[in-house]
Structures are given as structure tokens and as C-alpha cells.
């Protein structure tokens, strides 16, 4: 069996105020897989996501990346090797689109011409004309355009792993649907290992190869969309699936 790209092993997370965010988490993400973490607010999904690039560290247990403990990794260098997309995009407002997308290659010391070519390639990949968008600022973009730029920035250094924290959550329904379609197209082309957080079951089933259902800091069930639909765990998972609104496989 191949070593998972990402793994959480017996992970607990307790914050200084005494709040327990995660309890006994076991989760593996295979190479090229899109794992979706779904749960209500406070379920621990974003906390778990943040552990994978050491924006936070577990209180107990360990996070493994390519079979190596994340605790052994320099957090700054680790984050430069992992793409990260926030819900609001997280773009630097005083930087142009071109500079935002080229941030990580610049930090890694890429030559300017290589960085420029990479930025142009990625903007085209997310359907943004480099000549039109390069010198624009985030405030001049729509919500959907900002998320496209954020995704291009996450891919800039060609990371194997991309983490996405509700990347479509703040968008209107039409833009959200359009970006989900593009995400699926990029997923098929790029074959990245991805972990995506959402509170939307339809989105989870549409985008994920596997889905992990979290509640109160625990993983209740993990499986493909079909596995969850056919064999939901009793209690919360079954209730969640029973109340899905108009979802079609």
C-alpha cells in the first residue's frame, strides 16, 4: 500500500481557552485525491485543515506528510510547498494580480522571467486574460475573479498538495456553480492532492473523491459519496443525508 500524502493520526486539538476542537482524528488522503471535510460550524473541519500546513499544531497525536511528521518541518518552508486558498481569497490588497499570483515563486527565488511565465500560464488556466488582469488590484475584481486569482496563486509553485477553506462559500449561486465546474476541470487536469472544507453537502459530493463528515471535533464517517449514500452511519450522518436538499448523484 502506498504511503498516504497526508495523514492525521490520533490527533487532538485543544485551544488555550480550554475548547477542544478535535478529538481522536484519524484521516488519510491519498496521492491525487480530493478529500472534502464537511460539518456544521464548530465541527473542527477548518482546524483540521490548518494542521496540514502547520498554521496550527495538534495538542496530541501527529500530522504526517509523505510519511514524515509535520513537526519536523519548518512551518514557513512547508507552507511554501503547499497551496492554500482562503474563503475570502486572502489576496494582498495593495499588490496587483500579477504580484499576488507570483508571491510564492518570488519567495522561492525564481528568476523574474520564469515567474512571469508561470503567472501568465496560471491566469490563462483559470480563464483570466493576463494582459487584462495583470495590473489590476483585488478591489477591482468581482468575488469570483478574486477566487480565481487565489486559486492561481495557490498553484504558482506547482505544489503537490492544495488546501481550500470554503473557497466558494462567499459567492453567489451562479458564480459558485461556475467555479465548481472549473474546479472539476482543473482537478482532472492537474491531479493534485487536495483537502477542501465546506458546509454544503451538495458541494462536497460534487467535488470530492471522498468525504469526511465531522461533528463536535470527531470524524463520524469517511467514504465516497456513493458509500455514504448507500451506507450512512446511524445518527447525525444519516440525518444529514436525509435532509440534503435536492441532491442528485
Amino acid at each position: 500500500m502506498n504511503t498516504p500524502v497526508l495523514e492525521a493520526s490520533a490527533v487532538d486539538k485543544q485551544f488555550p481557552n480550554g475548547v477542544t476542537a478535535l478529538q481522536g482524528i484519524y484521516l488519510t488522503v491519498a496521492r491525487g485525491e480530493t478529500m472534502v471535510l464537511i460539518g456544521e460550524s464548530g465541527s473542527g473541519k477548518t482546524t483540521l485543515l490548518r494542521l496540514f500546513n502547520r498554521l496550527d499544531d495538534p495538542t496530541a497525536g501527529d500530522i504526517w506528510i509523505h510519511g514524515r511528521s509535520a513537526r519536523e518541518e519548518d512551518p514557513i518552508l512547508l507552507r511554501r510547498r503547499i497551496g492554500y486558498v482562503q474563503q475570502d481569497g486572502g489576496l494582498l490588497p495593495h499588490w496587483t494580480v500579477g504580484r499576488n499570483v507570483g508571491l510564492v515563486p518570488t519567495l522561492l527565488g525564481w528568476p523574474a522571467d520564469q515567474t512571469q511565465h508561470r503567472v501568465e500560464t496560471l491566469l490563462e488556466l483559470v480563464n483570466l486574460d493576463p494582459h487584462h488582469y495583470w495590473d489590476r488590484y483585488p478591489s477591482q475584481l468581482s468575488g469570483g475573479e478574486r477566487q480565481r486569482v487565489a486559486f492561481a496563486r495557490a498553484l504558482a509553485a506547482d505544489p503537490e498538495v492544495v488546501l481550500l477553506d470554503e473557497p466558494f462559500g462567499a459567492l453567489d449561486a451562479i458564480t459558485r456553480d461556475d467555479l465548481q465546474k472549473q474546479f472539476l476541470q482543473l482537478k482532472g487536469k492537474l491531479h493534485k492532492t487536495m483537502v477542501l472544507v465546506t458546509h454544503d453537502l451538495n458541494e462536497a459530493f460534487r467535488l470530492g473523491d471522498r468525504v469526511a463528515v465531522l461533528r463536535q471535533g470527531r470524524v463520524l464517517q469517511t467514504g465516497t459519496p456513493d458509500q455514504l449514500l448507500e451506507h450512512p452511519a446511524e445518527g447525525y450522518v444519516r440525518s444529514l443525508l436525509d435532509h440534503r436538499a435536492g441532491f442528485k448523484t
Side-chain angles (χ1 to χ4, degrees), residues 34-39 168 176-177 180-181 183-184 187 196-214 221-233 236-249:
T34 297
M35 172 68 74
V36 178
L37 309 179
I38 186 168
F168 314 120
R176 185 183 185 112
D177 180 68
Q180 287 174 352
K181 289 177 181 175
F183 177 89
L184 289 171
K187 173 183 168 182
L196 185 150
V197 164
T198 184
H199 63 273
D200 184 323
L201 185 65
N202 292 351
E203 180 170 275
F205 278 25
R206 184 180 192 183
L207 303 183
D209 298 310
R210 286 195 299 146
V211 177
V213 182
L214 281 78
Q221 187 174 3
T222 303
T224 66
D226 284 345
Q227 287 170 341
L228 293 180
L229 286 169
E230 293 170 8
H231 305 288
Y236 177 77
V237 178
R238 182 175 293 278
S239 176
L240 181 69
L241 294 171
D242 285 345
H243 288 86
R244 68 191 188 280
F247 180 76
K248 297 180 181 179
T249 57

Side-chain angles (χ1 to χ4, degrees), residues 92-112:
L92 297 172
H94 56 291
W95 281 19
T96 63
V97 166
R99 287 192 70 192
N100 265 290
V101 177
L103 172 62
V104 174
T106 299
L107 292 173
L108 292 174
W110 288 21

Side-chain angles (χ1 to χ4, degrees), residues 7 13 33 81 112 147 160 167 187 194 203 205 213 217:
E7 185 175 7
K13 178 61 183 178
E33 179 180 39
R81 301 201 314 269
Q147 287 305 92
E160 180 179 354
K187 173 183 168 182
M194 295 190 281
E203 180 170 275
F205 278 25
V213 182

Side-chain angles (χ1 to χ4, degrees), residues 11 20-25 42-45 214-219:
V11 164
T20 298
L22 298 171
Q23 304 177 67
I25 299 292
S43 63
K45 55 191 186 296
L214 281 78
R215 190 182 192 208
Q216 297 178 344
R218 298 181 182 276
V219 174

Side-chain angles (χ1 to χ4, degrees), residues 111-123:
D113 58 343
Q114 181 184 357
T115 298
Q116 179 174 341
H117 180 264
R118 179 64 176 168
V119 172
E120 290 175 348
T121 298
L122 287 170
L123 288 177

Side-chain angles (χ1 to χ4, degrees), residues 59-183:
T59 308
D62 214 344
I63 296 292
W64 301 86
I65 302 171
H66 292 293
R68 177 183 172 94
S69 172
R71 298 181 192 273
E72 300 175 15
E73 301 277 358
D74 179 292
I76 301 300
L77 297 179
L78 177 65
R79 289 170 206 149
R80 291 177 185 175
R81 301 201 314 269
I82 294 179
Y84 188 69
V85 181
Q86 302 176 44
Q87 182 174 351
D88 61 358
L91 302 179
L92 297 172
H94 56 291
W95 281 19
T96 63
V97 166
R99 287 192 70 192
N100 265 290
V101 177
L103 172 62
V104 174
T106 299
L107 292 173
L108 292 174
W110 288 21
D113 58 343
Q114 181 184 357
T115 298
Q116 179 174 341
H117 180 264
R118 179 64 176 168
V119 172
E120 290 175 348
T121 298
L122 287 170
L123 288 177
E124 291 173 350
L125 186 68
V126 298
N127 294 331
L128 295 176
D129 182 352
H131 301 292
H132 180 69
Y133 286 95
W134 187 284
D135 291 322
R136 300 186 74 179
Y137 288 88
S139 62
Q140 298 173 303
L141 307 177
S142 68
E145 288 169 339
R146 284 194 294 273
Q147 287 305 92
R148 291 174 192 269
V149 173
F151 198 69
R153 182 178 66 176
L155 296 172
D158 197 22
E160 180 179 354
V161 176
V162 180
L163 309 176
L164 305 103
D165 190 2
E166 299 205 44
F168 314 120
L171 303 175
D172 65 84
I174 294 176
T175 302
R176 185 183 185 112
D177 180 68
D178 182 54
L179 288 187
Q180 287 174 352
K181 289 177 181 175
Q182 186 170 19
F183 177 89

